Structures are given as C-alpha cells and as structure tokens.
Amino acid sequence: MQRFSERLCFKEMPSLLQMEGMSNTLKNSLWNYTLELFQHNEGWIIGSRAIAQYFRRSPVDEVPEYDIHCKEWTKEYFYGLAWYEVYDFVEFIATKYELFFPRRRVRHSDDLQAVFNGILEFERSGYRFVSGALVPISSATETGEVASAIEVTSRSGLAGANEHLKTALILFSKRPEPDYRNSIKEAISAVESVVK
C-alpha cells in the first residue's frame, strides 16, 4: 500500500522499474530479509562460511569465528557489492540455502524465491525469480505466463518442452545482450516438443 504522502502526491513515487541500478531501499530490503534468514543459532557462522566458500570463493579461514562478527563480515561485503552483484548474491542465497542449511525444515528455495519476488515487486525492481533464475521482466503478466508454462510442462511430464523453455529463459536473460535468436529457437522447439 502506498504511503499517505505518496497517495496525495506530496512525495513523488518512482515510476520506472529499476533495471540498470538499485535503490538504497531495495538493497536494504534484500539485506533485511537475508538478516532474517540467518538470525538463528550459529546461522551466521554456517552461512558466512558457505558464502566464503561457494559464492565469494575466498579462504574460509578468513571468516570470523563468532556469529556476530560473521554477520558484520557478511554485511560489509554485501553493502560493498555493485547492484548487479547484489542480484548474484540474492540468487545464490535463494537457490543454495538448502545446501548449507540442510536440517532447516521451513525454508525451501521456492519459498525463498517467492519472498524475494515480493520484495523485488514492492521495491519496483525490474527482475524476478522464474524457475530459480533472476530474469528481467516487462510486466507481471509476462513473468506469470513464463513461470506458468514452465510449471505446467514440468507437472505434465513434458521434460523436453520444459528444458527448452528453461533454456529459452536463460538465453533471453543474458546481459548485457540477450540472445534473442536462440531464445526464440528454444521456444519454438518447446512448442514442437509438445506437439510431438
């Protein structure tokens, strides 16, 4: 819901999606949710070591030993990232969380992606999670249709079509220059696969 000052036009709301950058409020919101994910018994120690080893690819013995220091170490790193690297970080957390916290029963990558998508939508980011990857969007309808097609082909046992759609999405999402030609070929192959 818009704030009072925004509804009555005392404060101007950003009208465009954030495609080539990231506002401080978006970055803070992504950090706040990450903070919530790791705020449990020794969560920062385990999480920071996983981030060092699998994301930063830095020596794990450089990670501090105490939970609060691990949080500070991760926060300093997070806020030093360029806007596109923050998306790399978020994608890593959302897709790999189960790997470094295998005993957690509540958090699944689909759930994490849904929460991150809510944050991204609220903060007017131009990116959303679709099938485990952050991709640019042009509208909520478009994103929903792509996600729906991938889900339907997965449920229906149309593995070939599902794989073609996922590949098309990855090719379409490539930056700085999307591979439109091969993305279209993959989408056509998905249709052919369903027809056969």
Side-chain angles (χ1 to χ4, degrees), residues 132-189:
L134 274 170
V135 296
I137 59 148
S138 59
S139 72
T141 305
E142 186 177 295
T143 305
E145 288 302 315
V146 171
S148 175
I150 290 172
E151 183 183 330
V152 166
T153 56
S154 176
R155 269 194 327 231
S156 303
L158 300 169
N162 183 271
E163 196 59 39
H164 284 300
L165 286 173
K166 286 181 180 177
T167 304
L169 182 65
I170 291 168
L171 293 169
F172 185 77
S173 306
K174 282 178 118 178
R175 292 289 178 231
E177 296 187 26
D179 189 350
Y180 295 121
R181 183 178 185 170
N182 287 321
S183 178
I184 291 168
K185 287 179 183 178
E186 287 293 330
I188 291 169
S189 295

Side-chain angles (χ1 to χ4, degrees), residues 29 34 37 67 70 73-74 81 123-125 128 133 136 138 152 159 162-163 195:
S29 294
T34 303
L37 289 173
D67 210 48
C70 288
W73 179 85
T74 306
L81 295 172
E123 297 291 350
R124 305 201 44 78
S125 168
R128 300 288 186 281
S138 59
V152 166
N162 183 271
E163 196 59 39
V195 171

